[in-house]
């Protein structure tokens, strides 16, 4: 797994370009939803709810999408990243790094 990045140290410059598949996957794996939420089930429930109220919500949703893409051998996590990218920029730009 890639190195984990804390929310509090995340910057706009760390957001991968929307066409860089390997960088997007590495970014998705820089958050461990299983560890943060305590289980696969809890992380999946959070991602499925699509709360999108915090950086943690966004990162977990992308993490779960990337894990599902790896399991299903598809690239749907790229669609998810592009959907979430404006929200990442908004939240990181506002300084709400939790």
């Amino acid at each position: 797994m890639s190195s984990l990045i804390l929310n509090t140290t995340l910057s706009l410059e760390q957001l991968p370009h929307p066409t860089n598949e390997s960088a997007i996957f590495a970014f998705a794996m820089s958050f461990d939803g299983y560890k943060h939420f305590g289980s696969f089930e809890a992380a999946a429930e959070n991602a499925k709810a699509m709360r999108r109220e915090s950086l943690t919500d966004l990162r977990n949703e992308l993490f779960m999408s990337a894990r599902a893409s790896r399991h299903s051998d598809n690239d749907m996590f790229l669609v998810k990243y592009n959907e979430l990218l404006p929200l990442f920029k908004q939240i990181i730009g506002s300084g709400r790094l939790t």
Side-chain angles (χ1 to χ4, degrees):
M1 188 174 287
S2 301
S3 298
L4 297 180
I5 300 172
L6 299 174
N7 284 353
T8 55
T9 63
L10 195 57
S11 67
L12 290 172
E13 293 76 27
Q14 291 172 290
L15 295 174
H17 190 274
T19 61
N20 189 336
E21 183 174 343
S22 62
I24 294 169
F25 190 83
F27 176 69
M29 294 296 102
S30 74
F31 177 84
D32 186 343
Y34 305 152
K35 183 176 180 180
H36 181 84
F37 289 98
S39 68
F40 166 83
E41 292 78 12
E45 183 177 318
N46 172 269
K48 186 176 180 180
M50 297 186 345
R51 287 185 188 96
R52 300 180 178 182
E53 296 169 2
S54 71
L55 191 50
T56 296
D57 290 336
L58 297 179
R59 293 186 76 193
N60 184 60
E61 192 173 336
L62 180 61
F63 168 78
M64 293 301 291
S65 179
R67 298 296 299 167
S69 286
R70 178 178 270 178
H71 181 73
S72 300
D73 195 27
N74 65 42
D75 61 1
M76 291 305 296
F77 72 98
L78 299 174
V79 173
K80 180 63 70 177
Y81 179 72
N82 283 291
E83 179 182 329
L84 296 175
L85 186 56
L87 299 172
F88 274 117
K89 288 179 178 180
Q90 180 182 17
I91 288 177
I92 294 169
S94 74
R96 294 182 297 151
L97 302 179
T98 58

